């Protein structure tokens, strides 16, 4: 089946297995919004539990409508100067539930827009922990809408939508730059602008959580949803998705072990430390992918021989004194080996 999107000829190959997996992944990512609400509610004071849960749910529905009306086309529409998408797909006009699009030839274009909607809704809500308990409802809604318009939509287009960063080779598998870096910087700027919380130093910056079991429930749901977050970004149910899911789980476990060790080294095992370790491992794995791994592998084989030649590296991995002198890495005279000893290779 052939369809046309602008001037691009797209040959579709819709796969039922891939479509099913992306549907499931979309549902898993959607579940991360209430999971985030549970986690933050459990870590806050009990009097603000309902407020933060309501804010995240309201933000989810508002951002979903925005993505349907104009968010998708601003992010993935035909590029205007590599900066923003053209308004060709307002209200998802031109998308199909039967035919593919230029972004993914193995799933319907409507499903791709739905999957990206889940990312668009959760990204601004990741910042809520920076200003939880300290923003009025009206300020929260206005800030979330403006940030989505001015930061998220352009950034998605620059990297995923064919913008200028995509053209120069910037890679982002599941949102390490688009989602977590942007939300992290937004949270940092927001916290710096609002200032310290009351009694910040009295608790050494760590306010006592109100409900750790609720926070644990949120972390568990986030952990499960992250499999759809990273695995679904493969846009297929093949080996790339398998690799993403496995490494996501291993990354979360390894990070949790590190945080557990740090907690035990300082005082005793802490539930909050384990929770943060799991989330740090999950978020840190987002930009990884077999595509990036393959690119690094290729760059290693392409760049390594010229590098070895420039450093004068021999077949056995050592360098003679003349080459070391040319590369300005000759050790001082008192460090030079005695006659008959092999040359000492300095660390690079």
């Amino acid at each position: 089946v052939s369809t046309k999107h602008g001037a691009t000829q797209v040959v579709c190959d819709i796969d039922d297995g891939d479509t099913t997996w992306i549907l499931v992944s979309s549902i898993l990512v959607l579940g991360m919004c209430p999971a985030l609400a549970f986690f933050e509610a459990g870590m806050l004071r009990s009097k603000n539990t309902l407020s933060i849960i309501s804010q995240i749910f309201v933000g989810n529905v508002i951002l979903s409508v925005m993505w349907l009306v104009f968010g998708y086309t601003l992010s993935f529409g035909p590029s205007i100067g590599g900066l923003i998408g053209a308004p060709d797909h307002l209200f998802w006009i031109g998308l199909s539930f039967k035919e593919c699009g230029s972004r993914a030839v193995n799933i319907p274009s409507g499903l791709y827009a739905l999957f990206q909607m889940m990312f668009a809704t959760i990204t601004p809500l990741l910042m809520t922990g920076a200003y939880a308990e300290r923003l009025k409802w009206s300020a929260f809604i206005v800030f979330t809408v403006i940030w989505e318009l001015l930061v998220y939509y352009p950034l998605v287009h620059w990297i995923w939508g064919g913008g200028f960063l995509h053209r120069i080779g910037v890679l982002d598998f599941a949102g390490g730059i688009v989602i977590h870096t942007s939300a992290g910087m937004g949270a940092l700027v927001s916290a710096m602008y609002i200032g310290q919380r009351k009694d910040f130093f009295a608790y050494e910056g760590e306010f006592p959580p109100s409900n750790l079991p609720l926070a644990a429930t949120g972390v568990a749901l986030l952990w499960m949803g992250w499999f759809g977050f990273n695995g679904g970004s493969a846009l297929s149910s093949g080996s790339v998705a398998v690799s993403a899911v496995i490494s996501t789980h291993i990354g979360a476990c390894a990070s949790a072990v590190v945080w557990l060790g740090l907690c035990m080294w300082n005082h005793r095992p802490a539930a909050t430390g384990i929770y943060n370790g799991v989330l740090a491992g999950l978020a840190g794995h987002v930009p990884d992918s077999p595509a990036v791994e393959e690119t690094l592998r290729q760059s290693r084989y392409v760049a390594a021989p010229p590098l070895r030649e420039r450093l004068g590296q021999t077949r056995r991995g050592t360098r003679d004194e003349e080459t070391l002198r040319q590369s300005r890495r000759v050790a001082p005279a008192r460090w030079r080996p005695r006659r008959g000893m092999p040359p000492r290779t300095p660390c690079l």
Side-chain angles (χ1 to χ4, degrees):
V1 180
S2 297
T3 60
K4 283 189 176 181
H5 297 268
T8 303
Q9 185 79 13
V10 179
V11 179
C12 294
D13 185 18
I14 302 297
D15 184 87
D16 292 340
D18 295 343
T19 301
T20 303
W21 169 237
I22 303 304
L23 276 172
V24 173
S25 297
S26 301
I27 298 172
L28 290 173
V29 179
L30 175 61
M32 295 177 70
C33 283
L36 179 65
F38 294 158
F39 171 70
E40 294 188 356
M43 299 296 288
L44 295 176
R45 292 177 293 180
S46 58
K47 68 177 183 179
N48 296 303
T49 298
L50 182 60
S51 174
I52 190 64
I53 292 177
S54 301
Q55 285 183 358
I56 291 180
F57 271 80
V58 170
N60 187 13
V61 297
I62 292 177
L63 295 169
S64 295
V65 174
M66 290 174 56
W67 185 258
L68 171 67
V69 177
F70 51 79
Y72 177 81
T73 188
L74 293 179
S75 301
F76 293 100
S79 184
I80 301 178
L83 299 177
I84 198 68
D88 291 13
H89 301 296
L90 293 173
F91 293 94
W92 290 8
I93 295 175
L95 301 185
S96 173
F97 301 143
K98 296 181 179 180
E99 297 181 354
C100 71
S102 58
R103 307 296 174 183
V105 298
N106 55 326
I107 62 174
S109 57
L111 177 58
Y112 180 80
L114 175 66
F115 182 65
Q116 291 294 335
M117 175 190 286
M118 303 300 109
F119 287 170
T121 56
I122 197 173
T123 301
L125 303 180
L126 296 175
M127 300 185 297
T128 52
Y131 46 77
E133 307 176 325
R134 297 188 290 172
L135 277 188
K136 295 181 179 179
W137 266 89
S138 57
F140 164 75
I141 294 176
V142 170
F143 176 75
T144 301
V145 171
I146 293 178
W147 190 91
E148 183 88 344
L149 282 171
L150 299 183
V151 178
Y152 185 75
Y153 294 162
L155 190 57
V156 170
H157 184 76
W158 296 347
I159 298 179
W160 287 342
F164 72 96
L165 291 180
H166 173 78
R167 296 171 186 173
I168 64 176
V170 175
L171 299 176
D172 188 1
F173 178 59
I177 303 174
V178 173
I179 298 175
H180 291 94
T181 301
S182 63
M185 292 300 299
L188 176 62
V189 173
S190 301
M192 294 176 62
Y193 178 79
I194 297 176
Q196 297 175 356
R197 296 176 183 268
K198 186 178 180 181
D199 299 329
F200 180 83
F201 291 104
Y203 296 97
E204 298 181 354
E206 297 183 7
F207 289 84
S210 62
N211 194 333
L212 282 178
L214 181 62
T217 303
V219 172
L221 294 175
L222 284 170
W223 197 338
M224 183 174 62
W226 231 291
F227 293 139
F229 197 101
N230 287 348
S233 296
L235 298 178
S236 67
S237 57
S239 59
V240 178
V242 174
S243 174
V245 170
I246 293 176
S247 52
T248 297
H249 182 68
I250 298 301
C253 294
S255 179
V257 169
V258 172
W259 276 70
L260 177 61
L262 293 175
C263 292
M264 296 180 67
W265 177 267
N266 291 326
H267 43 87
R268 63 183 184 277
T272 55
I274 298 175
Y275 300 163
N276 289 324
V278 170
L279 296 179
L282 292 171
H285 174 71
V286 166
D288 299 343
S289 74
V292 176
E293 181 182 352
E294 179 64 24
T295 302
L296 293 176
R297 186 184 298 111
Q298 293 177 359
S299 64
R300 173 187 175 188
Y301 289 121
V302 171
L307 182 61
R308 288 197 296 266
E309 294 174 2
R310 183 172 61 86
L311 296 179
Q313 189 174 19
T314 64
R315 183 175 302 177
R316 299 181 62 180
T318 60
R319 295 182 292 274
D320 55 18
E321 189 172 353
E322 179 64 22
T323 305
L324 290 174
R325 186 181 297 109
Q326 294 177 0
S327 60
R328 298 180 181 180
R329 292 183 178 272
V330 179
R334 65 180 182 275
W335 292 347
R336 293 180 184 176
R338 290 176 297 179
R339 182 176 300 177
M341 294 181 63
R344 180 177 172 180
T345 304
C347 298
L348 295 178

